[in-house]
Amino acid sequence: DAKTTQPTSMDCAEGRAANLPCNHSTISGNEYVYWYRQIHSQGPQYIIHGLKNNETNEMASLIITEDRKSSTLILPHATLRDTAVYYCIVRVAFNAGNNRKLIWGLGTSLAVNP
Amino acid sequence: NAGVTQTPKFQVLKTGQSMTLQCAQDMNHEYMSWYRQDPGMGLRLIHYSVGAGITDQGEVPNGYNVSRSTTEDFPLRLLSAAPSQTSVYFCASSPGIYHTGGRNQPQHFGDGTRLSIL
């Protein structure tokens, strides 16, 4: 029941911007979009999250379309250390209470090449 | 600043054995959770806790028990290991009551425990 759709893999040249797209057409109005990444053999690492406005932090920028059905994670100057699997995630309710969980898909495997 | 610490990093068990995967965080986070990650699948939530003394089931809780006696620790117990429990297990923590939607806090993950059941 994945709620997001991402390309399986992408390539990017070192020093260039990496633009990772995500489709989340069924997102509800008050749910955030989260981005995490997982470098090989490590635990997932939080990158950024947003609701409707574009967001920027020291790691990346997040562009969310006005209809909120898709977003793009931008790594402005990709380095070799940015090679990882990138996950675009939304939350869904999963039991009778007010509890929600993150839906983790398979993400996008980004390869940054020298 | 250790963050989320998981031990052991690797473990091999025989079917039917029991063991406890340890998870500790030093950030005074209220919320902690356990996930498993299997090839070809996303992370799946096993159990979670919104504070000391409070635990609840995630989407794949069968075969696992948890307890939360302190804010810092959230161990995961396998009472009778089965080959289907071969996986990489991740523990995560976050401030606030993440799952109830009141606060949208990111989760901090440990580096995982790689568990093989023979």
Side-chain angles (χ1 to χ4, degrees), chain B:
Chain B
N1 190 0
V4 178
T5 302
Q6 292 185 238
T7 57
K9 295 188 184 303
F10 303 93
Q11 184 70 48
V12 179
L13 292 177
K14 295 181 179 178
T15 298
Q17 286 185 315
S18 63
M19 80 159 295
T20 298
L21 280 62
Q22 301 291 346
C23 175
Q25 53 93 6
D26 61 0
M27 298 171 283
N28 200 32
H29 286 171
E30 294 177 329
Y31 177 82
M32 297 184 74
S33 58
W34 277 100
Y35 293 86
R36 60 178 290 173
Q37 186 173 36
D38 300 296
M41 303 184 72
L43 273 74
R44 292 182 292 168
L45 182 64
I46 305 172
H47 285 284
Y48 67 97
S49 168
V50 298
I54 305 170
T55 64
D56 207 347
Q57 296 181 348
E59 58 183 317
V60 288
N62 292 340
Y64 308 95
N65 284 347
V66 292
S67 60
R68 185 91 178 273
S69 57
T70 67
T71 299
E72 295 77 19
D73 299 301
F74 190 44
L76 178 72
R77 298 185 186 85
L78 284 72
L79 298 181
S80 180
S84 61
Q85 295 177 304
T86 292
S87 187
V88 181
Y89 291 85
F90 290 101
C91 177
S93 73
S94 64
I97 304 174
Y98 182 78
H99 272 311
T100 61
R103 305 179 197 181
N104 296 282
Q105 299 292 338
Q107 295 189 57
H108 301 255
F109 285 81
D111 280 336
T113 294
R114 284 147 186 81
L115 182 62
S116 293
I117 315 295
L118 305 178

Side-chain angles (χ1 to χ4, degrees), chain A residues 57-99:
Chain A
N57 62 20
E58 65 277 5
M59 291 182 68
S61 294
L62 176 61
I63 308 299
I64 302 174
T65 58
E66 190 170 347
D67 63 8
R68 297 201 346 109
K69 293 184 177 182
S70 65
S71 61
T72 300
L73 179 74
I74 301 172
L75 307 178
H77 305 286
T79 71
L80 299 179
R81 287 180 292 182
D82 292 321
T83 292
V85 178
Y86 287 78
Y87 297 95
C88 167
I89 302 164
V90 298
R91 296 187 305 169
V92 297
F94 75 96
N95 60 23
N98 192 31
N99 293 313

